[in-house]
């Protein structure tokens, strides 16, 4: 499969909700330049960014009510992409003067765009990231641009054992090495799960959990959920031996990848924590950890991988796999088959609130019912 | 027409006269690297910049009398491009050791190069920019490099109505919106004219004209003359209602575009003013206006257009035109047909001094007699 | 011959011995990314830099004993390129999990890699640079990366007469102009020699030789030895008229070029001096001269040449040669023929110590016996 074959029948995140304001935001998704803004009634609009007149990018213009006025000759386009005003003599508007409108849904604090067949644009195929907006939890997030194909980043996330090497001193522990990785698939959702009972705390966990006692073993877990094309939610945390998860430090890690093009990716990351939810410093600490770990370490190695690969895919370069690659390879194959057949993903969307109710009595995460 | 089809049978400006000195000036015109210098008698020479020996660029060498000594092995080339000295043992010079000589004319304070058929190199086909050197007027000028195809810049200049959007606050006024754009063609010269009698002053005009009285209507005009391939002269100004133009603030704006290659252009700009001709501050003010308007605004949008277009021409990208594009489209079509047929442009060269004599009694500019 | 046709059956320098330590050094040679390190017993290892698992560059990992641990998932590779440790569950290692091992020799203070047929990898075809390690001499050296094809740099070195123009004031003298350039070939070794008896000192020589007396003529010499593909040793110096060379200032200049790819070259330079061998300041002065002359002057002009040539070779660009190019052209033709026929170079390796013994009685360098 070539690097720039994309799954069209899928929802892609173009922005965090908070990024879309009464300004003009440009994002390039699946090689298409798009401009996003919020209408006066708060709804989000997303239209093609290339003015059909002379190709000035519309995001260099300005909002006039709910229309974008092109910064070059002042044509105005509404949120459907239609040209609705020509300020010049006569004011005639040729029928072809329009840009594409993108189907979108604002959900889970994110703007999701649809690039596929119009009749298949069902928001039910958006994976569940409702934790972002859960009033009982606290959220921090951001977006990083990486110069690498998005599937190389998926590989990274579906095998967290790289932590021991890439994030040595932060994510290394015999608790990881001694635990087993479980790969589960249901519908088009894949889990890559690691349950680490009665083990030594990972240094990052020890740092984040205020009740951590040096020398005492803990229960820890890292459950990664993947949905096509590259939408991941990690359920990760630490607590006392056999203690409720809510007594520990527990977060959802959001990792949603949106291909800008075959060699560039937006990485939407989020941390939704179930502890110290009223303490902004706990969120700020996570922001620093992410900056250090993702930008300082993963990004360096992933972009270096891409440079070594050049225009080859992993397959074309004859990469040699081993056991740890099971989840990543399963995701790659599933995605390739969805692309091939044009099938819309069918995420399982297990109930996150139910997980959290159960967590009040046990440390063990709920294994998805398969 | 591909982006890098050029009109070869035409004169192109390579430099302002003042830029060509006893140093070595490199310019790339129509994808050819050229070195220009002034001989001891003051004449200008222009020869190929690639030393035929090992392709060191000659402009890294130095002048020895009227020859360029290559900075690598010291071969010397005269203004005809011939190698006239080999400092090495024997001193033999192979007959092929020569670079092209470019036919040139120094006229109107500029160096014009000819790239076409030798027998058609008639300076009569150089458009009239004699205002630059008119002792009754005062000139400032410069050159800007833009990362865009030259025709995108021509489009910009042949429809000054973009001023209301790109230069909002500087060039916006109901006087523009209420006036009519007149497009006239004679021979291969095209005018795009806007006569704006009895209207509100453009902010830029109000700023530049010392006798401007807030609240009082004025007569204003903007007459753009285009000659192929991309040589424009704007006659623009403001004066009192029905008052002689010489009482107002009146300038010629020079806009000459020379393609470096399909994606890069030298923009030779000049302002020749008919007011405050003894006041250098008036020239300096223009330099600031041009810097702010051309570099700060037009250049940003034109280079963004080029990035959106990539390697496509406007036609290939299916640009949608409207009424304001009449002059720009006429110029594009005329140029394409000249390129196609190899025809030398035939500029009308109307007498600029006659215009200025008439201006002593009326505000209205002379419409070219057609 | 295309720009990226390389002589595969030859030794290439990848690094100075001192650059290869217990760290990981990346070098790209003949378009192959290679990682070099020193084993615990002091031997040098060189293996392919692309981890076969997911193409993280191994040089971003770390040494564990004599193995490289990949910085991504921790696979370990030994100096033969074999994967010898998988830290993940099961620890199974697929047989294909290996990287190429490069045949190498550490000689003359440099690491030489072999890229050709295994049965032809005979260290006897490494040219003699034993001066680097001669205890009676003193050495300084370094490596410069140039954005130019290596043959353009060979051209530069095989015609030192460019010094008069590129290094005016440093290397210009009538002693050069009045002397004759002698080109000698024996086997696949070519000499480009200039013997300059009884002449004015080059400014650089005057500066470096403490016994130089202004106004007094000297004997000077510059004997360049070339071996394919681009391994050069210059024997250059100044002494009194008919005085032993050991009384003067005499150095060997090492110029070894290793193609990174068709447009980028490692330039390994060295200066091994036969005077003031105990004075580090004399070495430091040379380091400054090299920095000023190579980086400040040659590099500027050679990289400009490459830009003028673009993707063309000198031949494709129809370069015009003259008498001074004899040695450079002979080297180019010989190299092209070796590449064409896949022949291993056969360097003459004249005895450098013998030269130095003779130098104790005469200023004249030994002409290679041909
Ligand atoms: S380019 Fe947008 S209005 Fe002209
Ligand atoms: S490159 Fe110009 S003289 Fe050699
Ligand atoms: S990329 Fe090297 S171990 Fe995975």
């Amino acid at each position: 499969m070539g690097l720039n074959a994309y799954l069209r029948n899928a929802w892609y995140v173009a922005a965090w909700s908070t990024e879309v304001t009464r300004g003009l935001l440009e994002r390039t998704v699946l090689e298409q330049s798009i401009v996003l803004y919020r209408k006066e009634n708060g709804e989000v609009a997303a239209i093609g960014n290339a003015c059909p007149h002379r190709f000035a990018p519309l995001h260099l213009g300005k909002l006039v009510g709910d229309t974008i006025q092109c910064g070059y000759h002042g044509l105005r386009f509404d949120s459907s992409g239609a040209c609705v005003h020509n300020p010049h003599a006569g004011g005639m508007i040729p029928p072809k003067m329009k840009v594409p409108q993108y189907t979108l849904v604002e959900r889970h604090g994110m703007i999701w765009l649809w690039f596929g067949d119009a009749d298949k644009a069902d928001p039910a195929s958006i994976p569940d990231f409702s934790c972002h907006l859960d009033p009982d939890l606290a959220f921090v997030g951001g977006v990083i641009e990486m110069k690498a194909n998005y599937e190389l980043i998926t590989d990274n996330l579906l095998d967290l054992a790289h932590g021991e090497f890439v994030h040595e001193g932060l994510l290394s522990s015999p608790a990881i090495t001694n635990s087993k990785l479980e790969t589960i698939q249901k519908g088009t959702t894949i889990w890559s799960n690691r349950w680490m009972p009665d083990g030594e705390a990972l240094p990052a966990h020890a740092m984040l959990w205020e009740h951590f006692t040096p020398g005492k073993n803990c229960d820890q877990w890292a459950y990664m959920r993947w949905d096509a094309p590259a939408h991941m939610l990690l359920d990760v945390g630490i607590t006392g031996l056999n203690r409720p998860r809510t007594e520990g430090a527990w977060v959802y890690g959001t990792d949603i990848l949106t291909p800008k093009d075959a060699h560039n990716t937006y990485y939407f990351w989020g941390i939704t924590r179930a502890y110290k939810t009223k303490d902004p410093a706990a969120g700020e600490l996570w922001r620093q950890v992410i900056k250090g770990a993702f930008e300082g370490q993963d990004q360096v190695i992933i972009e270096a991988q891409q440079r070594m690969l050049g225009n080859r895919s992993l397959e074309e370069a004859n990469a040699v796999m081993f056991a740890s690659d099971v989840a990543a390879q399963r995701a790659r194959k599933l995605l390739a088959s969805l692309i091939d057949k044009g099938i819309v993903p069918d995420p399982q969307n297990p109930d996150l609130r139910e997980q959290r109710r159960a967590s009040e009595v046990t440390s063990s995460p709920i294994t998805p019912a398969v």
Side-chain angles (χ1 to χ4, degrees), chain A:
Chain A
M1 179 115 356
L3 278 186
N4 54 1
Y6 306 106
L7 179 60
R8 303 225 158 248
N9 277 327
W11 295 95
Y12 287 88
V13 171
W16 291 103
S17 285
T18 49
E19 293 183 290
V20 183
T21 64
R22 290 289 293 163
L24 295 169
L25 177 70
E26 194 275 342
R27 285 282 148 87
T28 298
V29 181
L30 305 194
E31 304 178 12
Q32 297 169 49
S33 181
I34 298 164
V35 57
L36 297 114
Y37 64 99
R38 209 169 273 280
K39 294 199 283 185
E40 286 175 336
N41 67 5
E43 279 173 17
V44 172
I47 62 177
N49 192 36
C51 179
H53 176 225
R54 288 188 184 275
F55 293 85
L58 291 176
H59 80 280
L60 294 183
K62 68 174 185 184
L63 276 184
V64 175
D66 281 353
T67 68
I68 301 182
Q69 175 175 293
C70 178
Y72 202 172
H73 309 95
L75 294 176
R76 290 185 194 162
F77 299 85
D78 70 13
S79 60
S80 78
C83 181
V84 293
H85 179 68
N86 173 355
H88 300 280
M92 294 282 291
I93 299 170
K96 282 189 185 167
M97 196 69 90
K98 62 184 179 215
V99 294
Q101 177 185 28
Y102 290 90
T103 299
L104 69 86
V105 171
E106 181 164 16
R107 183 168 287 191
H108 308 321
M110 313 191 90
I111 312 305
W112 300 79
L113 301 190
W114 179 258
F115 288 83
D117 306 335
D119 59 326
K120 293 180 178 156
D122 183 352
S125 64
I126 293 178
D128 184 8
F129 288 89
S130 58
C131 56
H132 296 160
L133 302 179
D134 190 312
D136 296 333
L137 306 175
F139 169 84
V140 292
V143 55
I144 299 169
E145 287 193 42
M146 290 200 183
K147 295 192 201 337
N149 183 271
Y150 69 107
E151 293 201 76
L152 292 182
I153 312 176
T154 301
D155 292 342
N156 176 280
L157 292 160
L158 285 183
D159 175 18
L160 293 175
H162 76 266
E164 193 165 344
F165 303 98
V166 178
H167 311 292
E168 201 187 343
L170 192 66
L171 298 182
S172 52
S173 159
I176 296 182
T177 326
N178 298 334
S179 66
K180 236 184 62 191
L181 190 67
E182 193 183 19
T183 303
I184 298 167
Q185 178 174 350
K186 192 174 167 204
T188 60
T189 303
I190 292 171
W191 282 266
S192 174
N193 294 342
R194 202 177 280 275
W195 166 231
M196 301 167 277
D198 197 4
E200 204 175 296
L202 275 68
H205 279 167
M207 175 179 86
L208 292 162
W209 185 32
E210 61 180 342
H211 299 303
F212 170 71
T213 314
K216 261 182 108 170
N217 272 9
C218 315
D219 285 353
Q220 296 170 97
W221 63 95
Y223 275 40
M224 181 66 94
R225 188 193 80 198
W226 173 91
D227 283 293
H231 302 337
M232 283 156 276
L233 184 70
L234 176 67
D235 174 344
V236 64
I238 183 170
T239 193
L241 285 180
N242 298 312
R243 299 301 305 166
R245 296 168 77 188
T246 42
E247 282 183 9
W250 172 25
V251 305
Y252 291 110
T254 298
D255 302 294
I256 297 181
L257 309 176
T258 301
K260 197 165 171 174
D261 57 34
H263 288 83
N264 292 280
T265 301
Y266 297 110
Y267 183 155
F268 293 93
W269 67 268
I271 294 289
T272 308
R273 68 187 186 277
Y275 69 100
K276 289 195 189 180
T277 56
K278 303 296 169 211
D279 179 3
E284 197 45 44
L285 182 57
W286 266 106
R287 205 178 275 281
Q288 295 310 319
V289 168
I290 296 299
K291 200 176 167 64
F294 288 13
E295 295 189 46
Q297 299 173 326
D298 287 307
Q299 185 166 11
V300 170
I301 211 145
I302 292 169
E303 294 186 349
Q305 259 183 299
Q306 185 68 70
R307 282 194 300 272
M308 296 297 272
L309 283 163
N311 284 315
R312 302 173 299 171
S313 67
L314 273 186
E315 293 71 26
E316 288 164 343
N318 294 317
V320 184
M321 301 296 157
F322 60 86
S324 313
D325 297 309
V326 170
Q329 283 305 94
R330 191 175 294 187
R332 280 182 170 263
K333 284 198 183 114
L334 177 49
L335 178 56
S337 126
L338 295 179
I339 293 175
D340 195 42
K341 301 182 186 134
I343 292 176
V344 181
D346 171 30
Q348 296 306 300
N349 288 342
D351 193 323
L352 299 178
R353 276 161 224 84
E354 188 189 325
Q355 289 184 358
R356 286 200 294 283
R357 270 193 305 276
S359 72
E360 285 165 23
V361 292
T362 171
S363 59
S364 164
I366 298 175
T367 300
V370 285

